[in-house]
Amino acid sequence: SAGVHRLWKHDTIAKLNPQAGERLLDVAGGTGDPAKAFVDRADKAGRRRARHSEASAIVCDINEAMLNAGRARRDMAAYQNRLDWVCGDAQALPFEDRSFDALSIAFGIRNVADRAAALSEFRRVLKPGGRLAVLEFSHMTAPALQKLYDSYSFSVIPKLGEIVASDRESYQYLVESIRRFPKQEDFRQELDAAGFTAVSVINFSGGIAALHFGWAA
């Protein structure tokens, strides 16, 4: 994404509108960037409204190595009492019902084997009125652009992965998994079927990525 994914994540956290005292679950949270951003933004909102209760977040990822890398980050030292790190599966979250005010997952739902099970879990652990934000690579909104993007994706991205990371196969999987992921309207319907309400879609960069946002009933 040439770094543009950072802007997409920024807009995702802004859409969640973190508030003082709230609790976020960041699924497939990796090294914790969205969780850290949520806490920071909630603190700013609290100062504006003279509310002093602290927001917190749990980073949940199935990859223990990613969590360890996040814990070890120097910039996370100031958040040790605000962030927790839990190794867990999106399809069977190890948390009680109605535990979180907001849930985010960025570039992770595409890798879940059973999306319906994961979405059901997301709804289960969110409080009534809780917010869900799903950021994922998606499909271009203009067919002509999609053809160009496909050509770039399959011809260039795996080669870049081989040159930069010595890992062509992972980048080939990245491209193929993006193409297999449902189009925006189809995934919106999956969220509807999972029981989320007022589901909306925001396309970033012409549909290279899309933010699906909904509310838990």
Side-chain angles (χ1 to χ4, degrees):
S1 71
V4 180
H5 68 282
R6 295 183 179 89
L7 299 177
W8 299 338
K9 287 184 177 180
H10 174 275
D11 289 350
T12 297
I13 296 301
K15 181 68 174 177
L16 280 173
N17 191 26
Q19 299 297 313
E22 290 191 327
R23 191 178 187 216
L24 169 77
L25 176 62
D26 187 30
V27 180
T31 58
D33 283 328
K36 177 176 176 287
F38 183 93
V39 168
D40 287 343
R41 199 174 185 97
D43 285 351
K44 290 179 181 178
R47 287 193 292 270
R48 286 195 304 268
R49 300 181 181 184
R51 296 178 180 175
H52 305 294
S53 55
E54 292 186 336
S56 62
I58 292 179
V59 183
C60 181
D61 201 293
I62 201 168
N63 188 328
E64 184 72 46
M66 291 290 288
L67 296 172
N68 290 336
R71 290 190 191 98
R73 285 173 50 177
R74 186 174 301 173
D75 62 340
M76 290 296 182
Y79 297 82
Q80 60 181 345
N81 296 324
R82 310 283 296 279
L83 301 183
D84 288 322
W85 308 80
V86 175
C87 189
D89 186 347
Q91 300 164 122
L93 293 171
F95 308 108
E96 296 182 358
D97 296 358
R98 303 184 175 189
S99 298
F100 299 94
D101 301 285
L103 188 152
S104 61
I105 178 168
F107 309 115
I109 194 68
R110 172 174 44 86
N111 299 316
V112 173
D114 188 341
R115 282 195 305 276
L119 295 178
S120 176
E121 283 289 274
F122 296 171
R123 184 167 175 263
R124 179 183 67 79
V125 300
L126 278 169
K127 298 176 183 178
R131 295 98 68 198
L132 171 71
V134 182
L135 175 63
E136 188 54 83
F137 289 114
S138 196
H139 302 267
M140 301 292 287
T141 55
L145 291 177
Q146 185 68 51
K147 290 182 180 179
L148 290 173
Y149 183 47
D150 284 344
S151 178
Y152 166 78
S153 297
F154 285 99
S155 301
V156 177
I157 290 179
K159 290 181 181 178
L160 285 176
E162 184 175 14
I163 293 169
V164 176
S166 300
D167 188 359
R168 183 187 181 95
E169 289 185 2
S170 292
Y171 285 83
Q172 184 71 33
Y173 164 77
L174 170 67
V175 173
E176 291 173 355
S177 64
I178 291 170
R179 293 301 162 269
R180 288 195 298 268
F181 192 72
K183 292 185 177 180
Q184 288 89 322
E185 176 59 22
D186 293 332
F187 186 57
R188 187 193 67 77
Q189 292 178 12
E190 291 186 16
L191 292 176
D192 286 340
F196 290 95
T197 62
V199 177
S200 61
V201 182
I202 300 173
N203 288 303
F204 295 134
S205 303
I208 292 177
L211 169 61
H212 287 75
F213 184 87
W215 301 81

